[in-house]
Amino acid sequence: MRGKLSLKIVLMLQLVFGMALILTALLNYFKFEKTVTNVIASRFVVTVNGLQGDVENAMNLGLSLPELRDLEQLIEREERSDNQILAIEIADPAGTILFSTDKNRIDARLPDDWVRTMSRSDGGIWQESFEGNPVLGATLRNTFGQVAGSVMLRYAKSAITQRTAAVRPGLSIAAAIAIIGCGLVTVVGVWLVFRKIIGGFRDGETYVTAAFAAGGEAASVPKPQGALGDDLVAIVDTLKGAERELKQAAEKHE
């Protein structure tokens, strides 16, 4: 009984601790991933805002977006400044790409939901995804506040995954060590805290078994100690007394 009860308590506590540690590790990982994503995105947001300002300043001189031929050199220079930038594109209000560092994308159309997002933007950075990679966009407006197009920057998702993947082995090792450590502490803690209680249960079981064994007498077995022991002794005495009365009644009836 003692071994089975101890094992059950250890397994139950270990399961609770293990689940708590695993959930903590997952929460920390997702928090780190979100932090890395925001940090990397904020770096490219600065680039998008800079391009937005340059293009709008050029349009304020009276030129339309297709007439700004210097934009091709501008976006190519910005792309070369960071190897994690996959492409920089500038589209007109209808969603047609006018300038792009990816020559195959020139004259291509943006998805309809991108065009709706661009037209509804209040001036902040909007985010989309293209072929699994994040896209940051900013709506361009002319001097009259009308939508004149958008500038978009697409960067590699690997910029995020490489950094998050680097922490996974260390986080897994730390979680495994914590689980093993909690397991050892649990075993020792159960043994120290519950050994007296479990010992009392075992003594009580031995006493009750001896009291009701065929022809057995509990007097030959030490009485269990503590409040539980006193209760067991009182219960055994009551049951033994009832047993004797039943036998006497049965003998008189015969």
Side-chain angles (χ1 to χ4, degrees):
M1 176 182 176
R2 181 179 182 181
K4 292 182 179 179
L5 183 57
S6 298
L7 180 61
K8 289 180 180 179
I9 294 173
V10 169
L11 291 177
M12 180 185 66
L13 292 177
Q14 186 61 18
L15 178 63
V16 173
F17 288 147
M19 291 299 296
L21 289 171
I22 291 173
L23 289 175
T24 301
L26 288 175
L27 289 174
N28 286 333
Y29 173 76
F30 289 130
K31 183 178 179 180
F32 175 77
E33 183 180 42
K34 183 177 180 180
T35 301
V36 170
T37 301
N38 292 337
V39 169
I40 293 177
S42 64
R43 191 177 77 207
F44 295 121
V45 164
V46 174
T47 301
V48 173
N49 284 333
L51 289 171
Q52 179 188 28
D54 291 340
V55 176
E56 289 181 342
N57 289 336
M59 288 192 296
N60 289 339
L61 298 176
L63 298 175
S64 64
L65 192 60
E67 294 174 337
L68 300 176
R69 293 302 173 184
D70 292 341
L71 294 183
E72 194 71 39
Q73 297 177 356
L74 176 64
I75 60 177
E76 287 178 355
R77 184 173 64 251
E78 289 294 340
E79 184 199 31
R80 290 193 298 267
S81 66
D82 195 319
N83 57 10
Q84 292 176 347
I85 298 178
L86 299 179
I88 299 177
E89 299 173 340
I90 297 176
D92 64 14
T96 302
I97 297 176
L98 302 178
F99 306 97
S100 175
T101 56
D102 182 358
K103 303 306 178 184
N104 296 326
R105 294 272 295 164
I106 295 178
D107 293 331
R109 275 191 55 82
L110 300 178
D112 292 339
D113 56 336
W114 290 32
V115 177
R116 287 193 294 269
T117 301
M118 172 182 64
S119 61
R120 296 172 183 173
S121 174
D122 58 357
I125 298 295
W126 44 270
Q127 300 185 34
E128 295 290 346
S129 178
F130 181 78
E131 295 181 346
N133 294 304
V135 176
L136 300 176
T139 300
L140 301 173
R141 297 185 179 274
N142 56 27
T143 53
F144 302 102
Q146 299 174 330
V147 176
S150 64
V151 56
M152 295 154 291
L153 183 150
R154 174 165 28 107
Y155 61 95
K157 188 177 181 180
S158 58
I160 300 171
T161 57
Q162 287 176 355
R163 287 167 174 78
T164 55
V167 305
R168 281 200 292 266
L171 191 62
S172 300
I173 293 173
I177 293 174
I179 291 174
I180 294 173
C182 283
L184 295 176
V185 172
T186 300
V187 172
V188 175
V190 168
W191 181 78
L192 291 175
V193 174
F194 292 97
R195 62 174 180 170
K196 187 175 181 180
I197 298 174
I198 295 174
F201 286 151
R202 184 180 60 175
D203 294 342
E205 181 186 25
T206 303
Y207 179 80
V208 173
T209 301
F212 291 99
E217 290 293 336
S220 60
V221 179
K223 294 182 179 181
Q225 302 297 317
L228 177 62
D230 295 338
D231 291 340
L232 285 175
V233 171
I235 292 171
V236 168
D237 291 343
T238 301
L239 292 176
K240 294 294 285 185
E243 184 180 19
R244 285 193 297 269
E245 292 177 0
L246 287 174
K247 287 182 179 180
Q248 292 173 0
E251 290 174 355
K252 289 179 180 179
H253 181 71
E254 293 176 354

Coordinates of all heavy atoms in Angstrom, one line a residue, residues 144-175:
F144 N -3.4 66.7 -52.2 CA -4.8 66.9 -51.9 C -5.3 65.9 -50.9 O -6.5 65.8 -50.6 CB -5.6 66.9 -53.2 CG -5.2 67.9 -54.2 CD1 -4.4 67.6 -55.3 CD2 -5.6 69.2 -54.1 CE1 -4.1 68.5 -56.3 CE2 -5.2 70.2 -55.0 CZ -4.4 69.8 -56.1
G145 N -4.4 65.0 -50.5 CA -4.8 64.0 -49.5 C -5.4 62.8 -50.2 O -5.9 61.9 -49.5
Q146 N -5.4 62.7 -51.5 CA -5.9 61.6 -52.2 C -4.9 60.4 -52.3 O -3.7 60.6 -52.4 CB -6.4 62.0 -53.6 CG -7.5 63.0 -53.6 CD -7.8 63.5 -55.0 OE1 -6.9 63.5 -55.9 NE2 -9.0 64.0 -55.2
V147 N -5.5 59.2 -52.4 CA -4.6 58.0 -52.5 C -3.9 58.0 -53.9 O -4.6 58.1 -54.9 CB -5.4 56.7 -52.3 CG1 -4.5 55.5 -52.6 CG2 -6.0 56.6 -50.9
A148 N -2.6 58.0 -53.9 CA -1.8 58.1 -55.1 C -1.1 56.8 -55.4 O -0.4 56.6 -56.4 CB -0.8 59.2 -55.0
G149 N -1.2 55.8 -54.5 CA -0.5 54.5 -54.7 C 0.0 54.0 -53.4 O -0.5 54.4 -52.3
S150 N 1.0 53.1 -53.4 CA 1.5 52.5 -52.2 C 3.0 52.1 -52.4 O 3.4 51.8 -53.6 CB 0.7 51.3 -51.7 OG 0.7 50.3 -52.7
V151 N 3.7 52.1 -51.4 CA 5.1 51.5 -51.4 C 5.1 50.3 -50.5 O 4.6 50.4 -49.4 CB 6.1 52.6 -51.0 CG1 5.8 53.2 -49.6 CG2 7.5 52.0 -51.0
M152 N 5.7 49.2 -51.0 CA 5.6 48.0 -50.2 C 7.0 47.4 -50.1 O 7.8 47.4 -51.1 CB 4.7 47.0 -50.9 CG 3.2 47.4 -50.9 SD 2.3 46.7 -52.3 CE 3.1 47.6 -53.7
L153 N 7.3 46.8 -49.0 CA 8.6 46.2 -48.8 C 8.4 44.7 -48.3 O 7.6 44.5 -47.3 CB 9.4 46.9 -47.7 CG 10.9 46.4 -47.4 CD1 11.8 47.6 -47.0 CD2 10.9 45.4 -46.3
R154 N 9.0 43.8 -49.0 CA 8.8 42.4 -48.6 C 10.2 41.9 -48.1 O 11.2 42.1 -48.7 CB 8.4 41.6 -49.8 CG 8.3 40.1 -49.6 CD 7.5 39.3 -50.7 NE 7.5 40.0 -52.0 CZ 8.2 39.5 -53.0 NH1 9.0 38.5 -52.9 NH2 8.2 40.2 -54.2
Y155 N 10.2 41.3 -46.9 CA 11.4 40.8 -46.3 C 11.3 39.3 -46.0 O 10.2 38.7 -45.9 CB 11.8 41.6 -45.1 CG 10.8 41.5 -43.9 CD1 11.0 40.6 -42.9 CD2 9.8 42.4 -43.9 CE1 10.1 40.6 -41.8 CE2 8.9 42.4 -42.8 CZ 9.1 41.5 -41.8 OH 8.2 41.5 -40.7
A156 N 12.4 38.6 -45.8 CA 12.4 37.2 -45.7 C 11.9 36.8 -44.3 O 12.3 37.3 -43.3 CB 13.8 36.6 -45.9
K157 N 11.1 35.8 -44.2 CA 10.6 35.3 -43.0 C 11.7 34.6 -42.2 O 11.6 34.5 -41.0 CB 9.4 34.3 -43.2 CG 8.7 33.9 -41.9 CD 7.5 33.0 -42.2 CE 6.8 32.6 -40.9 NZ 5.7 31.7 -41.2
S158 N 12.7 34.1 -42.9 CA 13.8 33.5 -42.3 C 14.5 34.4 -41.3 O 15.2 33.9 -40.4 CB 14.8 32.9 -43.3 OG 15.3 34.0 -44.1
A159 N 14.4 35.7 -41.5 CA 15.0 36.7 -40.5 C 14.4 36.5 -39.2 O 15.1 36.7 -38.1 CB 14.7 38.1 -41.0
I160 N 13.2 36.0 -39.1 CA 12.5 35.7 -37.8 C 12.8 34.3 -37.3 O 13.2 34.0 -36.2 CB 11.0 35.9 -37.9 CG1 10.7 37.4 -38.3 CG2 10.3 35.6 -36.6 CD1 9.3 37.6 -38.6
T161 N 12.6 33.3 -38.3 CA 12.7 31.9 -37.9 C 14.1 31.5 -37.5 O 14.3 30.7 -36.6 CB 12.3 31.0 -39.1 OG1 13.1 31.3 -40.2 CG2 10.8 31.2 -39.4
Q162 N 15.1 32.1 -38.1 CA 16.5 31.8 -37.7 C 16.8 32.2 -36.3 O 17.5 31.5 -35.6 CB 17.5 32.6 -38.6 CG 17.6 32.0 -40.0 CD 18.4 32.8 -41.0 OE1 19.0 33.9 -40.6 NE2 18.6 32.3 -42.2
R163 N 16.3 33.3 -35.8 CA 16.5 33.8 -34.5 C 15.7 33.0 -33.4 O 16.2 32.6 -32.4 CB 16.2 35.3 -34.3 CG 17.2 36.1 -35.0 CD 16.7 37.6 -35.2 NE 17.8 38.4 -35.6 CZ 18.2 38.5 -36.9 NH1 17.6 37.7 -37.8 NH2 19.2 39.3 -37.3
T164 N 14.4 32.6 -33.8 CA 13.6 31.8 -32.9 C 14.1 30.4 -32.8 O 14.1 29.8 -31.8 CB 12.2 31.8 -33.3 OG1 12.0 31.4 -34.7 CG2 11.6 33.2 -33.2
A165 N 14.6 29.9 -34.0 CA 15.1 28.5 -33.9 C 16.4 28.4 -33.1 O 16.7 27.3 -32.5 CB 15.5 28.1 -35.4
A166 N 17.1 29.5 -33.0 CA 18.4 29.4 -32.2 C 18.1 29.2 -30.7 O 18.9 28.7 -30.0 CB 19.2 30.7 -32.4
V167 N 16.9 29.7 -30.2 CA 16.6 29.5 -28.8 C 15.9 28.2 -28.4 O 15.8 27.9 -27.3 CB 15.8 30.7 -28.3 CG1 16.5 32.0 -28.6 CG2 14.4 30.7 -28.9
R168 N 15.4 27.5 -29.4 CA 14.6 26.3 -29.1 C 15.4 25.2 -28.4 O 15.0 24.6 -27.5 CB 14.0 25.8 -30.4 CG 12.7 26.5 -30.8 CD 11.9 25.7 -31.8 NE 12.5 25.5 -33.0 CZ 12.3 26.3 -34.1 NH1 11.4 27.3 -34.0 NH2 12.9 26.1 -35.2
P169 N 16.7 24.9 -28.9 CA 17.4 23.9 -28.2 C 17.7 24.2 -26.8 O 17.5 23.4 -25.9 CB 18.7 23.8 -29.0 CG 18.4 24.3 -30.4 CD 17.4 25.4 -30.1
G170 N 18.1 25.5 -26.5 CA 18.4 25.9 -25.1 C 17.2 25.9 -24.3 O 17.2 25.4 -23.1
L171 N 16.0 26.3 -24.8 CA 14.8 26.3 -24.1 C 14.3 24.8 -23.8 O 13.8 24.6 -22.7 CB 13.7 27.0 -24.9 CG 12.4 27.3 -24.2 CD1 12.7 28.2 -23.0 CD2 11.4 28.0 -25.1
S172 N 14.5 23.9 -24.8 CA 14.1 22.5 -24.5 C 15.0 21.9 -23.5 O 14.5 21.1 -22.6 CB 14.3 21.8 -25.9 OG 13.4 22.3 -26.9
I173 N 16.3 22.2 -23.5 CA 17.2 21.6 -22.5 C 16.9 22.1 -21.1 O 16.8 21.4 -20.1 CB 18.7 22.0 -22.9 CG1 19.1 21.2 -24.1 CG2 19.6 21.6 -21.7 CD1 20.4 21.6 -24.7
A174 N 16.6 23.5 -21.0 CA 16.2 24.0 -19.7 C 14.9 23.4 -19.2 O 14.8 23.1 -18.0 CB 16.1 25.6 -19.9
A175 N 14.0 23.2 -20.1 CA 12.7 22.6 -19.7 C 12.9 21.2 -19.2 O 12.3 20.8 -18.2 CB 11.7 22.6 -20.8

